[in-house]
Amino acid sequence: MGKKLIVKACQIATPKGKQAKYGKEMNNLAVIENGAIVVEDGIIQEVGPAADILQAHDLKDFEIIDAAGKCAVPGFVDAHTHFIFGGYRPDEFYMRLNGASYMEIMNAGGGIQNTVNATRSSCFDELFQAGMDRLDAMVDYGITTVEGKSGYGLDAETELLQLKVQGKLNQAHPVDVVSTFLGAHAVPPEFKGRNEAYIDFLIQNVLPKVVEEKLAEFCDVFCEDGVFSIALSRKLLQEAKKQGLEIKAHADEIEQLGGAELAAELGAVSADHLLEASDHGIEQLKKHRVVATLLPATAFCLNKRYADARKIIDQGCAVALASDFNPGSCFTQSVPLIFALACIQMKMTPEEALTAFTLNGAAALKRADSIGSIETGKKADIVILKYPSYKYLSYHTAANLVETVIKDGKIVKQFSTNKRYTEV
Ligand code: NIG
Ligand code: FE
């Protein structure tokens, strides 16, 4: 029988349900003051007022976490990252600080290709070790499920290697890792000027292996002016769908190309970035129930305008928030930075932001039935904050409030309170 745990918290704050929350519903959090959560076998068994729950159980059977003065929220779900890569690109950061744009650096042979070169010359163990370290850093921020994309190989061998590393990390590390095949992240030098030939290569030589070896659940594409057109993105995603993968798209990030419309047309699970999405595109996302995954830390790092979260939510869409962690456009995994940007810059309410980083993030990974909220029957993925209310997540600006992280019912991180030097 699995270990039993009761978490007694000053406040439990969570969205509820097994599906994404759309539009106004994103504001509806369940908030239980003086609550308790019973966990067994890694699953939440009961949630409710502590007085009722404690009375109904023999406490000596349980390990008790007394979170008096603290708040429990669902583990954060980071539904868009590129966290497996070789090398770093600090020089490009300097170039951007001096006025070069992301696309200028990419077109001059840097950018994604720079990381592709470093990833191609990395071995499994190097990528795996770096992955373990990065997952540890995510746990520190309360992330309990993360999506990771390939896309730094751009050849069959290295694309598959990245995905295999993620598969092994999923087994070795407590954080759940969900894999996405992003072979269409850039056109490699071998196919320069032959974008369609590269897409055909992916369809014929890489996608079938990804599917056969069950290395990814999703297929994604960088649908962008100068990278992959709408027509080529459609060609790849349709084929991926036919072969049984769910689909996503990097859509309308830099130019308004119609990526949001394409994601809706093809029944994608999510459309991501959307800085430049058109009103019609947003309307289509709503109509086809595609989660709009917004990545404010990328806009911040590239010093670009933010996606119009207010308009997207007010038009009735489901918004998820994610980090886009990668070595180029957004080299940060900081959950608190994203909460601050979402509320202060994008005008999301703290309630919407919490829903976006938990239940809607889970929906962007087709996992809203098992994670993303603190409810009976869901996985016991729980974060205890140092403060008594979820409101501190955005109010205590960009500070990491995580005290304890529980993943599948086990404590995987506990920041101990600093012992101050008291003796003279
Ligand atoms: O989502 N836009 C494309 N891909 C990443 C950046 C990857 C990189 O620069 O290495 C993004 O921002
Ligand atoms: Fe991305």
Side-chain angles (χ1 to χ4, degrees), residues 80-82 149 182 185 250 273 295 324 326:
H80 181 139
T81 83
H82 311 245
K149 304 174 194 292
L182 178 58
H185 195 193
H250 280 66
H273 284 290
L295 312 163
D324 197 21
N326 73 74

Side-chain angles (χ1 to χ4, degrees), residues 84 149-153 158-166:
I84 296 300
K149 304 174 194 292
S150 67
Y152 290 127
T158 321
E159 284 294 311
L160 299 180
L161 177 71
Q162 276 193 277
L163 295 172
K164 284 177 188 162
V165 166
Q166 290 190 171

Side-chain angles (χ1 to χ4, degrees), residues 286-302:
K286 177 196 166 185
K287 190 166 159 210
H288 294 272
R289 306 230 128 194
V290 181
V291 177
T293 301
L294 307 185
L295 312 163
T298 309
F300 176 69
C301 292
L302 294 179

Side-chain angles (χ1 to χ4, degrees), residues 49-164:
D52 302 350
I53 288 189
L54 297 183
Q55 217 173 38
H57 293 279
D58 187 351
L59 295 189
K60 74 173 171 19
D61 296 340
F62 289 86
E63 177 183 353
I64 311 261
I65 298 182
D66 190 347
K70 293 161 194 168
C71 173
V73 294
F76 300 125
V77 179
D78 189 347
H80 181 139
T81 83
H82 311 245
F83 82 99
I84 296 300
F85 53 84
Y88 293 95
R89 288 151 48 195
D91 295 346
E92 291 181 9
F93 182 72
Y94 276 73
M95 288 162 78
R96 291 209 307 273
L97 292 180
N98 287 312
S101 77
Y102 180 80
M103 287 313 265
E104 277 163 10
I105 295 169
M106 182 164 172
N107 292 334
I112 292 170
Q113 187 56 40
N114 197 336
T115 300
V116 168
N117 298 339
T119 307
R120 284 181 180 176
S121 56
S122 302
C123 67
F124 186 99
D125 285 347
E126 287 164 339
L127 295 174
F128 179 80
Q129 267 320 317
M132 289 293 276
D133 292 345
R134 290 171 195 150
L135 289 171
D136 285 348
M138 291 180 202
V139 171
D140 290 355
Y141 284 124
I143 293 169
T144 47
T145 300
V146 66
E147 183 255 20
K149 304 174 194 292
S150 67
Y152 290 127
L154 311 184
D155 60 21
E157 193 190 332
T158 321
E159 284 294 311
L160 299 180
L161 177 71
Q162 276 193 277
L163 295 172
K164 284 177 188 162

